[in-house]
Amino acid sequence: MMPQAGTRVSLYFKGDEEESALAVNCIRSGAGCREADPLDKSLTTEHGMQMRLCRCDMGVVTLKEKVLLDDLTGIRMEGSGGLHIVADGEVKLEGQEVNLNGNRGVTIYEGKAVPDLEKLLDTEEGALLPEVTVTAAGKVELSTEEGEDTVQNRGEKVTYYLAWEHADLSHPSNRYRDEPEQKDYDWAQWRLNIAAGMVVVGSVTILGAVVAGAAAGAGMIAAGNISAGSAAASVGGAVFLTGSLYVAEQAVSDAVSGRLGDTEKYVRKALAGSVVGFLTGASGLMMQGASLGKVLSLGFGEGFLGSTAEQGLLNEDGEINWALAIGDGMFSAVMAGLVWKHNTCNGDIGNENKGEDSYTEAIIISSSDEVVDFYGRPVSQRTKSILKKFQNAKAVEVVNDRGQKSIILVIENIKKRDVKVSDLGKLQGVTGKEYALFRGPNGQRVLIQGDPININIPYKYTGKGWKWSGHSHPYSARPSGDDRQALKHFEQEYSVIKSATGAEEYFKSTVDMSNWLPGMDL
């Protein structure tokens, strides 16, 4: 039973949408609550109809009628209208004393009552007769109005009301009808609602792109390192994507539930999604190259403003839950901080320099001297090309078994012809840092740049079919204890060391002491 408008109720949400709410009970209010006994339960409609479940009695009470089962007085049926007892079988009245009293007479019929079909057909448009007509197959005891000589009949099976489409709905009791109105879904209006929402999304997309482009041109975002065109495309794309998702969410919800929201709801959804998209795109641009503190501030602002805008546009009364808005802001700040940390520790080296629009203009100074390594040897074009690939390498912060942290540069899926084990020592001779080459179970190759005297190898490149092709040393090619220990993590017997001086040595995970003599190095 639906509560009246303005009634305080307890709601249960079956899902995450407002439309899924169910009113599970009403909260009693008004002056009558002070005198009400909480042990007596009742359900009262706006028409004054009441169902009672009290300590001493239970029953149904209307404005004029009453049927109660009372522990003290027994069963009571009281009312200002008539009383009809109808059954297909035998009707029995038994008791110590049975009294039948009619102020204007008592009539008893035996046999089957005959319906007044002519009178029933004479009613206009199938309206209900003043008295419900009945049929009984056995003995029936009825009280009738003075002068009546027939029992009115509606049918062999007793039906108390005709179908709605044939009923007289003028009575006040028919004013409120709870059954859903059956009608075909208005797909045309559904499509118009979507179109209206997308018009709003498109308009805000253009406006957001213009604002972002102007701000970038004025150097107000991304420290001036992004062009107006890129800023406009980035923010405009975010606005269009987010706004479209909000409209699509409403459209799918309507189609699945069978309910059709009005056009204003779609417009509000589109506007809310577009505003959230603009804030997301703009804050993302301003976070580029920013410090952690600025990133957290921008993240909080994005979440807080987005939440307040969304609540103000989608809540019917425009009410804003400030606690929810602050919570959304804090969540957005935390997520922005995590992304900042991920990009700082694991981000792509040179990613901020990708694309023509992301470079800062500069002038060049150069030397006419030939490029040489630490040992004065010319650097080959092949070595230069390998080093150039590290401009797009991935920087990964790793920690070894001793708790020591370092940042390594990783190039994954490098081609076999682009780098070989023989190149590792030459690379170290140029940069002064160690290099290691690995081959995966599917033939993929990974090149890693470490520190000047060591490399911390991520466990993801060990075991499970990975092979350690070799690594470099700055001077000597002699393996260290760490080198031998690391080799135990690979399913192979040998690996090779290439030094920057050109030395080479194959080694195993164990030391060959067959030719060792006291005083010799291991």
Side-chain angles (χ1 to χ4, degrees):
M1 184 172 64
M2 294 297 294
Q4 289 293 292
T7 303
R8 297 178 61 197
V9 298
S10 298
L11 292 182
Y12 166 70
F13 291 88
K14 297 190 295 182
D16 56 359
E17 296 183 358
E18 294 180 356
E19 291 82 356
S20 67
L22 294 177
V24 294
N25 64 273
C26 293
I27 301 175
R28 304 182 71 175
S29 61
C33 291
R34 300 176 183 176
E35 302 176 359
D37 191 334
L39 297 179
D40 291 339
K41 315 298 182 182
S42 64
L43 176 64
T44 306
T45 71
E46 67 274 15
H47 316 299
M49 308 299 182
Q50 184 182 61
M51 294 180 60
R52 294 170 53 88
L53 293 172
C54 301
R55 289 170 293 175
C56 297
D57 64 72
M58 64 175 292
V60 181
V61 179
T62 70
L63 294 176
K64 298 181 179 181
E65 319 294 337
K66 179 188 299 183
V67 177
L68 292 178
L69 307 180
D70 196 313
D71 290 341
L72 300 178
T73 61
I75 301 175
R76 291 185 296 157
M77 291 184 287
E78 302 176 5
S80 59
L83 173 64
H84 300 267
I85 302 176
V86 182
D88 286 338
E90 187 175 0
V91 177
K92 295 182 179 180
L93 296 177
E94 298 181 359
Q96 294 294 331
E97 183 178 350
V98 178
N99 296 319
L100 297 178
N101 181 25
N103 293 333
R104 288 180 292 180
V106 176
T107 303
I108 299 177
Y109 291 89
E110 182 177 359
K112 185 174 182 179
V114 179
D116 188 353
L117 296 178
E118 182 178 354
K119 187 174 182 181
L120 180 63
L121 294 176
D122 286 342
T123 58
E124 296 181 0
E125 300 181 358
L128 289 176
L129 293 171
E131 302 250 350
V132 177
T133 57
V134 296
T135 295
K139 296 179 181 179
V140 180
E141 183 175 334
L142 298 173
S143 295
T144 63
E145 297 293 338
E146 183 178 2
E148 286 189 350
D149 54 3
T150 60
V151 177
Q152 301 175 22
N153 189 324
R154 293 196 55 224
E156 200 65 32
K157 299 297 182 183
V158 176
T159 304
Y160 291 96
Y161 296 98
L162 295 173
W164 283 108
E165 58 268 23
H166 300 300
D168 179 8
L169 304 180
S170 60
H171 192 275
S173 63
N174 298 317
R175 189 177 305 159
Y176 300 93
R177 295 172 53 187
D178 294 335
E179 77 281 359
E181 183 179 357
Q182 299 294 330
K183 61 180 181 180
D184 295 335
Y185 196 80
D186 193 349
W187 292 105
Q189 184 60 46
W190 181 75
R191 288 188 288 268
L192 287 176
N193 290 346
I194 296 176
M198 293 309 299
V199 168
V200 174
V201 172
S203 301
V204 180
T205 297
I206 296 174
L207 179 61
V210 171
V211 172
M220 298 173 60
I221 57 177
N225 293 334
I226 187 169
S227 68
S230 296
S234 178
V235 174
V239 172
F240 184 80
L241 177 61
T242 311
S244 300
L245 288 176
Y246 273 57
V247 175
E249 176 194 10
Q250 183 63 45
V252 172
S253 176
D254 283 357
V256 172
S257 65
R259 296 186 297 268
L260 182 60
D262 54 21
T263 305
E264 182 184 358
K265 190 170 186 178
Y266 278 76
V267 171
R268 287 176 176 269
K269 274 279 191 178
L271 191 56
S274 300
V275 171
V276 172
F278 175 80
L279 293 172
T280 301
S283 62
L285 289 179
M286 290 187 287
M287 288 179 186
Q288 293 185 15
S291 63
L292 177 59
K294 184 176 180 180
V295 168
L296 293 177
S297 299
L298 290 171
F300 180 83
E302 173 197 341
F304 179 79
L305 295 177
S307 179
T308 54
E310 184 173 357
Q311 292 183 63
L313 289 169
L314 298 184
N315 291 346
E316 293 184 1
D317 54 1
E319 183 179 356
I320 296 176
N321 185 336
W322 296 107
L324 176 61
I326 293 174
D328 289 341
M330 295 179 64
F331 176 79
S332 180
V334 171
M335 295 305 297
L338 292 176
V339 172
W340 179 88
K341 177 175 174 57
H342 178 272
N343 291 339
T344 300
C345 298
N346 304 320
D348 294 341
I349 300 300
N351 273 0
E352 68 267 21
N353 296 328
K354 288 183 179 179
E356 180 180 355
D357 294 330
S358 61
Y359 288 106
T360 300
E361 295 181 357
I363 59 175
I364 185 173
I365 57 175
S366 63
S367 170
S368 60
D369 295 337
E370 184 179 15
V371 179
V372 295
D373 62 11
F374 288 130
Y375 299 96
R377 298 171 301 195
V379 179
S380 67
Q381 190 63 38
R382 176 181 176 83
T383 301
K384 292 179 182 178
S385 66
I386 297 174
L387 292 174
K388 189 175 181 179
K389 296 180 184 299
F390 278 95
Q391 295 177 359
N392 297 319
K394 181 168 61 177
V396 180
E397 183 180 25
V398 292
V399 57
N400 59 29
D401 297 336
R402 300 167 188 165
Q404 300 169 335
K405 294 182 179 180
S406 65
I407 295 179
I408 61 174
L409 300 183
V410 181
I411 303 177
E412 295 182 332
N413 298 318
I414 190 169
K415 297 180 180 179
K416 182 178 181 180
R417 64 174 181 269
D418 290 340
V419 63
K420 300 179 180 178
V421 175
S422 58
D423 296 313
L424 302 180
K426 300 174 183 178
L427 293 172
Q428 176 138 5
V430 177
T431 65
K433 297 182 178 181
E434 287 196 6
Y435 292 83
L437 184 63
F438 305 90
R439 185 177 73 253
N442 298 321
Q444 66 270 36
R445 297 164 71 83
V446 176
L447 179 62
I448 297 179
Q449 180 193 90
D451 295 331
I453 59 173
N454 60 63
I455 302 177
N456 290 321
I457 304 171
Y459 277 102
K460 64 179 293 186
Y461 302 124
T462 65
K464 298 181 181 180
W466 281 91
K467 302 295 182 182
W468 187 9
S469 301
H471 71 290
S472 67
H473 275 187
Y475 304 107
S476 169
R478 182 174 300 168
S480 66
D482 289 337
D483 293 340
R484 298 185 189 278
Q485 187 65 29
L487 187 58
K488 295 179 181 180
H489 292 277
F490 297 87
E491 300 172 356
Q492 64 189 85
E493 186 177 2
Y494 291 95
S495 186
V496 65
I497 299 174
K498 294 283 188 175
S499 76
T501 61
E504 175 186 286
E505 183 173 335
Y506 286 85
F507 69 98
K508 299 168 58 175
S509 60
T510 58
V511 180
D512 183 5
M513 301 185 65
S514 59
N515 298 319
W516 181 81
L517 294 174
M520 296 177 60
D521 294 333
L522 294 178

